[in-house]
Amino acid sequence: MTTLPPSDKALVPFVSVDHMMRLIHHIGVEEMMRGIAEYIEADFRRWENFDKTPRVASHSPVGVIELMPTSDGELYGFKYVNGHPKNTREGLQTVTAFGLLASVETGYPVLLSEMTMLTALRTAATSAMVAKYLAPEGAHTMAMIGNGAQSEFQTLAMKAICGLKTVRLYDIDPTATAKAARNLASQGIEVVSCNSPEEAIEGAQILTTCTADKQYATILTDNMVGSGVHINAIGGDCPGKTELAAAILHRSDIFVEYPPQTRIEGEIQQLAPDHPVIEMWQVIAGKVPGRTSDRQITLFDSVGFAIEDFSALRYVRDQLMTTGFYHALDLLADPDDPRDLFGMLQRAAPVVA
Amino acid sequence: MTTLPPSDKALVPFVSVDHMMRLIHHIGVEEMMRGIAEYIEADFRRWENFDKTPRVASHSPVGVIELMPTSDGELYGFKYVNGHPKNTREGLQTVTAFGLLASVETGYPVLLSEMTMLTALRTAATSAMVAKYLAPEGAHTMAMIGNGAQSEFQTLAMKAICGLKTVRLYDIDPTATAKAARNLASQGIEVVSCNSPEEAIEGAQILTTCTADKQYATILTDNMVGSGVHINAIGGDCPGKTELAAAILHRSDIFVEYPPQTRIEGEIQQLAPDHPVIEMWQVIAGKVPGRTSDRQITLFDSVGFAIEDFSALRYVRDQLMTTGFYHALDLLADPDDPRDLFGMLQRAAPVVA
């Protein structure tokens, strides 16, 4: 008997890197980040419905491998993600990721997807969705300090969602700035390459920091931050890695995703464990105010949370049937009789000629 | 510019259900379980080298979805597995699973594999590997109570690894027994179908229980278990699910995988939390004795542990290069310049004709 094709139940839609890039081009990168931001906003609004667990991390001297699970009671999702800063020296990505959605009702996976690209989009979409609530009215210029893999996505998400007109780029490595400027040249936004962080923040209402070194660094010093700005701090995202002078934190109202995680991983690891923070979901749900004055410094201490990945995977899943950018993966054994796994194996035996 | 094929670094070997079944037939099911048992035995022997975490479980009223991670410092592995007893009524598997191995050095995945089939093999391989240490000398007959998806694998692993000659089948559902008897008919082992658990245990030195209902059941009562036998209890594997009368536990020396997990999920959830148990890895490492007398009742209270999955994935990975039963999955974005994810995306833009 020859091997029968696997049944529908056994097949899991899989979005490869190639399919993800096709999907992004099909939808448009800005439109897709706008769509993902809407899903994230909707999921933040129903924050209390989610199972929230801190990441499950496996640390080694050179990096970390994490699983980030969550569930809303209907869907279960998790992301696999590594963080290996030394990888770039070997021509590898610091961060790679993939993710999965499953049905809570059956436990069967319903989507497996690359998430290196998708995480870049969801991180930028989250920043811009938050800036929509916290940035000062009419903000049009962003300083983008750190011009690595996330910088173009941050810029275009702020353009698509917050109406950003100008980005001022700075990186300690001028080739990174040149790379970002080149990539953003034809994207309908004014790009100014700067030679110092001080130059980058001139006239900017939004200050985004996104640098990569795993250390306590001071990318922004206290005297650089004037009143009324919104700080979007992306790069301080693991224990021992921060980007802002502590004095800035003391002058800011601090907004976070999930306090138990941010206190370990975010900028606020520099502060007392009971330093007041505002949960971003409460702002979005209308339970607490966001920005309350045009002199206030707002700080989004972003570390990335499992619900944002869940939202991004939900968004991708909802595009699959209309776009077809996936293929079916034979991931699950599905015998006709569930008690007869061995019979399924026997029937798949090669024919002896 | 057209899309370039993904680089080697971006490709993860993937073993589908179809490839797994081909691999099993290529190696032979008994030989493969013997090989997996050797890998499990080797990993139990170096138990102290492993990161051990309890499973990360997401419970719902109808089932559970779990992630089971572990690492030996060189490789990281995890299994995704669900448990939904009501699934069989809908023509779905109670348990489906897949797993992953990654390099601790880079965080990059090195193997993605179906694990529904593979879990069946590793569960049976573990039982037989343990029975090799604990079953009475010259054991030749096993009672197999519960004739579901695991029963044929248990039987053949005991044949391959412990020299089992006869299996005595019993299930509350006679069609399950008929299915198992049919599947085992030409496997070189004597098969006796029985009409009661009492009949099944006649003359058996190994008593294997593997039933599926999620409840406190009594598959074996105290008076059924004579001295000198080895009990291989597979089915008591989650909170609220046990198969043995507590009195049997009190007469037995109890061997477990990982006490913190077994006390929650195993037969010993019926006992006091400080009831003495023996860690199986210590027997295998020669630190404590296994069976010490031919009157002793030994009980392997098996719940399935992450290291067994890790061992099975290691085994599969080591067969890939010589057998070729995998295909390369485009799971990881791998830009030429790790800082230039956006440039990679732009270069993948479809050509406008």
Side-chain angles (χ1 to χ4, degrees), chain B residues 182-197:
Chain B
R182 196 166 56 240
N183 284 338
L184 290 169
S186 55
Q187 300 289 331
I189 189 161
E190 185 191 16
V191 178
V192 182
S193 298
C194 302
N195 294 311
S196 69

Side-chain angles (χ1 to χ4, degrees), chain A residues 162-341:
Chain A
C162 305
L164 194 75
K165 302 275 182 261
T166 303
V167 65
R168 300 177 66 83
L169 302 173
Y170 172 74
D171 196 288
I172 197 167
D173 175 1
T175 65
T177 303
K179 178 262 326 179
R182 196 168 55 240
N183 284 338
L184 289 168
S186 55
Q187 300 288 331
I189 190 162
E190 186 191 15
V191 179
V192 182
S193 298
C194 302
N195 295 308
S196 70
E198 289 77 6
E199 186 187 344
I201 64 173
E202 274 174 31
Q205 300 86 25
I206 300 174
L207 313 183
T208 294
T209 57
C210 190
T211 61
D213 265 354
K214 185 170 176 175
Q215 59 184 338
Y216 294 107
T218 307
I219 310 302
L220 293 181
T221 57
D222 190 30
N223 63 356
M224 289 166 68
V225 177
S227 65
V229 301
H230 173 62
I231 305 173
N232 175 40
I234 306 300
D237 62 356
C238 66
K241 180 158 178 272
T242 61
E243 297 182 315
L244 306 183
I248 299 172
L249 306 183
H250 286 288
R251 291 164 57 211
S252 304
D253 287 314
I254 302 172
F255 299 79
V256 304
E257 290 143 318
Y258 182 57
Q261 185 176 313
T262 311
R263 292 199 190 273
I264 296 167
E265 302 173 2
E267 294 297 328
I268 59 173
Q269 63 187 283
Q270 303 181 66
L271 301 181
D274 61 348
H275 189 94
V277 296
I278 302 160
E279 292 186 62
M280 199 60 219
W281 75 267
Q282 296 200 311
V283 176
I284 291 163
K287 292 174 186 287
V288 302
R291 174 170 288 273
T292 51
S293 109
D294 58 8
R295 310 242 344 124
Q296 181 186 17
I297 301 171
T298 52
L299 166 62
F300 177 43
D301 187 2
S302 171
V303 297
F305 189 58
I307 292 176
E308 295 149 19
D309 300 310
F310 180 92
S311 311
L313 288 169
R314 277 211 304 123
Y315 175 88
V316 168
R317 185 184 180 222
D318 286 351
Q319 314 311 314
L320 290 192
M321 293 310 134
T322 51
T323 63
F325 291 124
Y326 68 96
H327 62 259
L329 207 63
D330 172 24
L331 184 64
L332 307 176
D334 186 50
D336 296 334
D337 174 356
R339 295 172 311 179
D340 198 13
L341 200 62

Side-chain angles (χ1 to χ4, degrees), chain A residues 8 10-14 100 109-112 327-332:
Chain A
D8 283 357
L11 297 177
V12 177
F14 167 63
L100 179 117
V110 297
L111 173 67
L112 179 71
H327 62 259
L329 207 63
D330 172 24
L331 184 64
L332 307 176

Side-chain angles (χ1 to χ4, degrees), chain A residues 62-64 81-89 91-97 116 149 212-214 237 241, chain B residues 106-108 333-335 338-339:
Chain A
V62 294
V64 62
V81 59
N82 75 297
H84 285 70
K86 59 92 197 166
N87 270 6
T88 50
R89 293 194 297 276
L92 299 172
Q93 288 280 107
T94 299
V95 173
T96 62
T116 313
D213 265 354
K214 185 170 176 175
D237 62 356
K241 180 158 178 272
Chain B
T106 66
Y108 274 49
D334 185 49
R339 296 170 313 178

Side-chain angles (χ1 to χ4, degrees), chain B residues 18 21 25 85-86 88 100 138 140 148 151 156-157 185 210 217 232 249 310 312 315 329 333 351:
Chain B
D18 181 50
M21 294 196 295
H25 284 294
K86 59 95 197 164
T88 50
L100 179 115
H140 49 72
S151 59
L156 294 182
C210 190
N232 175 40
L249 305 184
F310 180 93
Y315 175 87
L329 207 64
V351 181

Side-chain angles (χ1 to χ4, degrees), chain B residues 281-301:
Chain B
W281 76 267
Q282 297 199 312
V283 176
I284 291 164
K287 292 174 185 288
V288 302
R291 174 170 289 273
T292 51
S293 108
D294 58 6
R295 309 242 343 126
Q296 181 186 18
I297 300 172
T298 53
L299 165 62
F300 178 44
D301 187 2

Side-chain angles (χ1 to χ4, degrees), chain A residues 3-4 9-10 14-22 24-26 29 51 53 56-71 73 76 78 80 82 84 86-88 90-98 100-109 112-117 120-121 147-150 152-153 156 171 173 175-176 179 182-184 186-187 327 329-350, chain B residues 3-4 9-10 14-22 24-26 29 51 53 56-71 73 76 78 80 82 84 86-88 90-98 100-109 112-117 120-121 147-150 152-153 156 171 173 175-176 179 182-184 186-187 327 329-350:
Chain A
T3 306
L4 296 170
K9 289 167 189 162
F14 167 63
V15 179
S16 67
V17 176
D18 181 52
H19 274 142
M20 183 62 77
M21 294 197 294
R22 288 182 203 220
I24 297 170
H25 285 294
H26 177 77
V29 62
D51 262 356
T53 344
V56 184
S58 177
H59 292 277
S60 77
V62 294
V64 62
I65 297 175
E66 299 176 328
L67 300 173
M68 300 167 69
T70 191
S71 170
Y76 167 93
F78 81 86
Y80 169 102
N82 75 297
H84 285 70
K86 59 92 197 166
N87 270 6
T88 50
E90 299 156 22
L92 299 172
Q93 288 280 107
T94 299
V95 173
T96 62
F98 70 90
L100 179 117
L101 283 180
S103 156
V104 169
E105 177 65 23
T106 65
Y108 274 49
L112 179 71
S113 176
E114 86 83 33
M115 283 195 81
T116 313
M117 279 287 170
L121 268 65
N147 300 154
Q150 177 62 203
E152 300 94 339
F153 296 99
L156 294 181
D171 196 288
D173 175 1
T175 65
K179 178 262 326 179
R182 196 168 55 240
N183 284 338
L184 289 168
S186 55
Q187 300 288 331
H327 62 259
L329 207 63
D330 172 24
L331 184 64
L332 307 176
D334 186 50
D336 296 334
D337 174 356
R339 295 172 311 179
D340 198 13
L341 200 62
F342 191 84
M344 176 184 175
L345 174 63
Q346 279 185 311
R347 286 185 289 277
Chain B
T3 306
L4 297 170
K9 289 167 189 163
F14 167 62
V15 179
S16 67
V17 176
D18 181 50
H19 273 142
M20 184 62 76
M21 294 196 295
R22 289 180 201 221
I24 297 169
H25 284 294
H26 176 77
V29 62
D51 261 357
T53 345
V56 184
S58 177
H59 292 276
S60 77
V62 293
V64 64
I65 297 175
E66 298 175 328
L67 299 173
M68 300 167 70
T70 191
S71 170
Y76 167 92
F78 80 86
Y80 169 101
N82 74 298
H84 285 70
K86 59 95 197 164
N87 270 5
T88 50
E90 299 155 22
L92 299 172
Q93 288 279 106
T94 299
V95 172
T96 63
F98 70 90
L100 179 115
L101 283 181
S103 155
V104 169
E105 177 66 22
T106 66
Y108 274 49
L112 179 71
S113 177
E114 87 80 35
M115 284 196 80
T116 313
M117 278 288 170
L121 269 65
N147 300 154
Q150 177 61 206
E152 299 94 340
F153 297 98
L156 294 182
D171 196 289
D173 176 359
T175 66
K179 177 261 330 176
R182 196 166 56 240
N183 284 338
L184 290 169
S186 55
Q187 300 289 331
H327 62 259
L329 207 64
D330 172 25
L331 183 66
L332 306 176
D334 185 49
D336 296 332
D337 174 356
R339 296 170 313 178
D340 198 13
L341 200 61
F342 190 83
M344 177 183 173
L345 175 62
Q346 279 185 311
R347 287 185 289 277

